[in-house]
Amino acid sequence: MSGDARTDGLGTARLIGIEEHWISDPVDRALQGLTGDDRDTSLVLNDHGDVRARLADLGERRLAAMDAQGVDVQVLSLAPPGAQVPTTADAVTLARDANDEVVEAIRAHPGRFRAMATLPLADPAAAAAELERAVALGLTGVMTYGRVGDVTLDDPRYDDLWAVASRLHQPVFIHPQVPPGAVRRAAYSGLGGPVDLALATFGWGWHLEAGTAALRLMASGALDRHPDLQLVLGHWGELLLFWHGRADGVARTAGLDRSVTDYLRENVWITASGMLDPALLRHALAVTSVDRLVFSTDHPFQSPTREQIDGFLAELPDDAAREAFASGNARRLFGLGDHG
């Protein structure tokens, strides 16, 4: 099925992965050139094994990996931390060029790829304008990170962006990113370089950062002001599904219209990020509904085999739930109809 065997749109796709990463060379060079606390220390993880080569490939190698897994379609997104560089003009140029680049990849393989927009969050007004442009180009959804420098997503200056995303029905994926330098030094240092990095990133810190960003956005009232805004959280909800009852106290204290649990059930979609653990699935189904759960592999950072994927899908309660998780929910969320 490599290449463009499926040219009739995405309606026949059995398996759609929504958190599948790539890198843009200009963005990567800009990020590698940052220093001090502006530098994302997790970039070193892109150099582990063949990860960089797999991130860079938007052609036959990626398609072959998808075929081996049985994945029909990837919704591509720029690998962390996206185009989050502190210089506004650079962020605008990098985001625009990255979006143009991934559009060409989609045009080359229209039956296999879609992509989320990269936005220059360093300039909120430009980010809103770029989202409008990206949607016109055919991109779907937005990949964001919890902060740019010291500015968090709940900052009022982003409210116009959420209004645009809501109006255009574009889901906002809040992806993990490395904690700020001060937090890394206070909470994630002193155990040795590799252990410090693991604690600050994939082992713990990434997920606290993303969950906190989503919780802060809720606490700011953003989902009350924009009740149709839809968020996406990876890694089975970035810990929020496991702490939702306790987090409801934040909503009560903030005087929000609904509880955190309600926001999770009505405004948040949850994806697996390649963590195909039936225990996590069972907990997610105990908190939210199957029509809020979406498949992903977190390519290339996770590489589940076809057998592992099929075994996990068998853990869903019935065929309707399997179809929803594997592809149906992704079609609804990202507007992937029979003709893309």
Side-chain angles (χ1 to χ4, degrees):
M1 193 181 63
S2 61
D4 295 302
R6 296 192 185 277
T7 57
D8 57 340
L10 306 187
T12 57
R14 181 188 77 96
L15 202 55
I16 299 174
I18 71 156
E19 186 186 355
E20 319 302 332
H21 296 299
W22 69 289
I23 55 172
S24 164
D25 284 343
V27 172
D28 188 58
R29 287 194 297 271
L31 294 171
Q32 296 287 356
L34 298 176
T35 59
D37 283 350
D38 287 335
R39 181 176 175 79
D40 189 317
T41 55
S42 70
L43 288 171
V44 68
L45 299 175
N46 291 356
D47 294 317
H48 180 71
D50 65 348
V51 167
R52 178 169 294 279
R54 296 174 68 198
L55 281 168
D57 185 274
L58 292 176
E60 292 306 315
R61 180 173 183 172
R62 184 179 293 255
L63 292 171
M66 292 165 62
D67 290 348
Q69 293 174 312
V71 174
D72 296 292
V73 177
Q74 284 189 352
V75 179
L76 303 166
S77 56
L78 207 57
Q84 306 317 323
V85 295
T87 304
T88 299
D90 289 345
V92 171
T93 299
L94 290 170
R96 184 181 184 91
D97 290 350
N99 289 331
D100 289 343
E101 182 179 350
V102 81
V103 164
E104 290 306 310
I106 296 168
R107 288 173 178 166
H109 303 284
R112 306 304 300 277
F113 296 146
R114 292 295 184 270
M116 286 184 250
T118 297
L119 300 183
L121 293 179
D123 184 335
E130 181 60 16
L131 177 56
E132 298 259 15
R133 190 185 79 92
V135 171
L137 289 175
L139 300 186
T140 181
V142 178
M143 178 60 75
T144 64
Y145 298 85
R147 67 178 198 288
V148 180
D150 294 329
V151 180
T152 55
L153 288 183
D154 54 279
D155 190 285
R157 74 191 78 180
Y158 290 120
D159 208 57
D160 288 345
L161 173 60
W162 310 140
V164 171
S166 180
R167 172 170 54 82
L168 296 178
H169 306 291
Q170 296 301 302
V172 176
F173 197 128
I174 301 178
H175 194 279
Q177 70 185 126
V178 73
V183 175
R184 296 199 303 273
R185 288 187 289 273
Y188 299 111
S189 64
L191 295 175
V195 179
D196 292 352
L197 181 63
L199 280 173
T201 57
F202 57 84
W204 193 250
W206 267 350
H207 311 296
L208 285 180
E209 287 294 305
T212 300
L215 184 57
R216 287 184 60 101
L217 199 59
M218 295 174 192
S220 75
L223 298 181
D224 293 344
R225 294 189 298 275
H226 310 289
D228 293 330
L229 183 64
Q230 299 295 300
L231 308 179
V232 186
L233 292 175
H235 309 96
W236 295 105
E238 308 295 3
L239 305 176
L240 275 180
L241 287 188
F242 300 90
W243 208 247
H244 65 99
R246 191 75 165 175
D248 283 341
V250 175
R252 291 192 296 270
T253 302
L256 302 180
D257 292 347
R258 291 172 284 157
S259 67
V260 168
T261 300
D262 287 338
Y263 295 124
L264 287 169
R265 291 172 175 166
E266 298 166 9
N267 294 84
V268 178
W269 302 66
I270 305 296
T271 190
S273 306
M275 298 169 61
L276 304 183
D277 183 340
L280 298 177
L281 171 64
R282 288 192 293 271
H283 181 78
L285 288 173
V287 177
T288 190
S289 56
V290 72
D291 61 356
R292 287 272 161 179
L293 305 183
V294 193
F295 175 78
S296 61
T297 75
D298 201 8
H299 177 94
F301 301 106
Q302 303 288 335
S303 300
T305 65
R306 181 190 291 257
E307 292 73 23
Q308 289 170 329
I309 292 169
D310 287 345
F312 183 79
L313 292 176
E315 298 287 338
L316 273 294
D318 53 43
D319 287 345
R322 273 184 284 278
E323 190 279 332
F325 175 75
S327 62
N329 293 340
R331 291 193 195 96
R332 289 194 298 119
L333 177 61
F334 289 100
L336 307 178
D338 288 345
H339 300 286

